[in-house]
């Protein structure tokens, strides 16, 4: 394998490879120009080019706590070798942000708000906005849930997952309808159009191993490969849900996270309404249910049963979050 790394670094970047250390995300390479992290890209070429444009915009606007891509010798942010794409990045700090308490999430939220603020003015030829994405998704999942219920009722006997769906059907159908109503109240399409005009993006993985703490206490952000053109508020909603999942989240913590985010990126009334739509919508449960019933089942999957049971717990915490946001 070292021969392969040596070829990638030399042919793609003009670097000499001396040695490497494996990490969870890739390979830390010692080269003649210092340490670099080499990763197999999980995204397509244009996604990587878009992520590169996002990073460069952030860096220009003062958000420097990121790992930028090194360009190849022909000026590309990734290198193709034997049908596989590779990216070479600056090395992030090794210590992940602890997610076991309110203070860590408050620190993360402040960084998230600053990142979203510094993305304004983003320009890229690889931007792809979809103004109908969320309304279409919410409506589609609501229709699918109704079909799944009818399918369960027609088949006669219920297995454990069927019972789980039937027990929660009314609650999640009501929440999905409520989320659609909030989308309309928030004037979602107008918010998308404004985000497009201003230049904005959604990271989609602002969590866990992608958040690293340096020796001087600064919080660095990695994992940009999956980012895309979308309303930044999706990141905040996901981060608040993660706070409720990882801690004994309470209203005070939610208030402090929102306050920290808004230090750099204040929310308007319509955005608060959209945040309510994103938190009340039972995205994870509906996604897993759709995944399960669209496959041919020979028997009940214990793994899926466990995942759905955990999703029910998480959706319960998300309902608490929804009520906290209404109160603050």
């Amino acid at each position: 394998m070292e021969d392969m790394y040596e070829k990638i670094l030399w042919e793609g970047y003009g670097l000499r490879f001396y040695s490497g250390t494996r990490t969870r995300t890739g390979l830390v390479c010692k080269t003649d120009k210092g340490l670099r992290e080499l990763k197999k890209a999980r995204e397509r070429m244009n996604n990587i080019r878009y992520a590169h444009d996002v990073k460069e915009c952030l860096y220009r606007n003062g958000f420097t706590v990121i790992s930028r891509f090194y360009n190849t010798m022909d000026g590309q942010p990734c290198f193709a070798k034997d049908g596989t794409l590779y990216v070479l990045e600056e090395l992030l700090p090794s210590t992940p942000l602890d997610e076991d308490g309110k203070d860590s999430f408050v620190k993360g939220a402040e960084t998230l708000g600053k990142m979203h603020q510094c993305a304004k003015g983003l320009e890229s030829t690889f931007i792809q906005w979809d103004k109908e994405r969320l309304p279409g998704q919410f409506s589609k999942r609501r229709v699918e849930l109704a079909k799944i219920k009818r399918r369960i009722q027609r088949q006669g006997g219920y297995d454990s997952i069927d019972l789980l769906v039937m027990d929660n059907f009314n609650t999640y159908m009501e929440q999905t309808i409520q989320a659609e109503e909030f989308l309309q109240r928030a004037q979602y399409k107008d918010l998308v159009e404004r985000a497009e005009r201003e230049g904005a993006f959604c990271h989609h993985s602002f969590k866990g191993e992608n958040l690293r703490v340096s020796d001087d206490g600064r919080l660095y952000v990695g994992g940009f490969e999956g980012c895309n053109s979308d309303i930044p508020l999706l990141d905040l909603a996901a981060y608040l849900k993660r706070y409720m999942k990882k801690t004994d989240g309470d209203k005070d913590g939610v208030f402090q996270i929102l306050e920290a985010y808004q230090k750099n990126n204040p929310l308007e009334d319509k955005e608060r309404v959209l945040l309510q739509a994103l938190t009340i919508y039972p995205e994870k449960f509906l996604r897993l249910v759709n995944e399960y019933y669209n496959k041919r089942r020979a028997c009940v999957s214990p793994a899926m049963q466990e995942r759905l049971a955990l999703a029910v717990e998480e959706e319960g915490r998300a309902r608490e979050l929804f009520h906290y946001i209404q109160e603050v």
Side-chain angles (χ1 to χ4, degrees), residues 51-250:
H52 171 70
D53 290 343
V54 168
K55 290 185 181 187
E56 293 305 301
C57 175
L58 290 172
Y59 200 88
R60 286 194 305 270
N61 290 338
F63 192 80
T64 59
V65 284
I66 55 176
S67 55
R68 299 161 75 190
F69 292 135
Y70 287 97
N71 283 334
T72 60
M73 289 190 291
D74 60 358
Q76 296 298 319
C78 57
F79 179 68
K81 179 72 174 177
D82 299 332
T84 301
L85 294 178
Y86 297 87
V87 292
L88 191 67
E89 291 185 296
E90 297 171 330
L91 202 60
L92 285 172
S94 60
T95 305
L97 177 69
D98 288 332
E99 293 184 310
D100 57 357
K102 176 175 61 182
D103 291 345
S104 295
F105 279 89
V106 170
K107 183 181 181 73
E110 184 173 351
T111 301
L112 180 63
K114 185 175 181 181
M115 181 180 73
H116 285 160
Q117 177 63 30
C118 288
K120 291 183 178 179
L122 170 65
E123 295 181 358
S124 174
T125 56
F126 307 103
I127 289 175
Q128 292 185 336
W129 285 93
D130 182 358
K131 299 179 180 64
E132 301 293 336
R133 192 183 73 80
L134 278 190
Q137 175 187 321
F138 285 15
S139 175
K140 180 181 178 182
R141 288 287 191 247
R142 171 172 48 80
V143 171
E144 288 171 344
L145 184 61
K147 287 181 179 179
I148 288 169
K149 180 185 178 182
R150 292 194 294 270
R151 173 179 170 181
I152 292 172
Q153 290 173 326
R154 285 197 303 268
Q155 69 188 16
Y158 296 170
D159 63 31
S160 55
I161 292 182
D162 294 336
L163 290 171
L164 188 63
V165 172
M166 296 300 288
D167 286 345
N168 290 280
F169 175 83
N170 290 337
T171 297
Y172 294 146
M173 179 59 76
E174 180 182 339
Q175 287 182 211
T176 304
I177 293 171
Q178 192 175 8
E180 289 181 273
E181 292 171 351
F182 275 114
L183 276 188
Q184 292 181 343
R185 282 177 51 192
Q187 298 179 322
Y188 170 77
K189 292 180 184 178
D190 291 345
L191 290 177
V192 174
E193 288 174 359
R194 192 185 75 182
E196 184 178 9
R197 286 195 307 271
E198 292 180 347
F201 86 108
C202 188
H203 185 282
H204 283 307
S205 192
F206 190 87
K207 61 181 180 180
E209 278 289 321
N210 291 329
L211 305 178
R212 306 286 185 85
V213 183
S214 65
D215 291 340
D216 61 7
R218 289 187 297 169
L219 185 60
Y220 280 71
V221 184
F224 281 84
E225 291 85 349
C227 69
N228 69 5
S229 309
D230 215 328
I231 291 183
L233 211 58
L234 272 73
D235 280 337
L236 179 58
Y239 200 58
L240 283 164
K241 285 185 176 183
R242 189 169 180 84
Y243 165 68
M244 298 298 291
K245 174 184 175 181
K246 290 288 186 178
T247 72
D248 296 325
D250 57 18

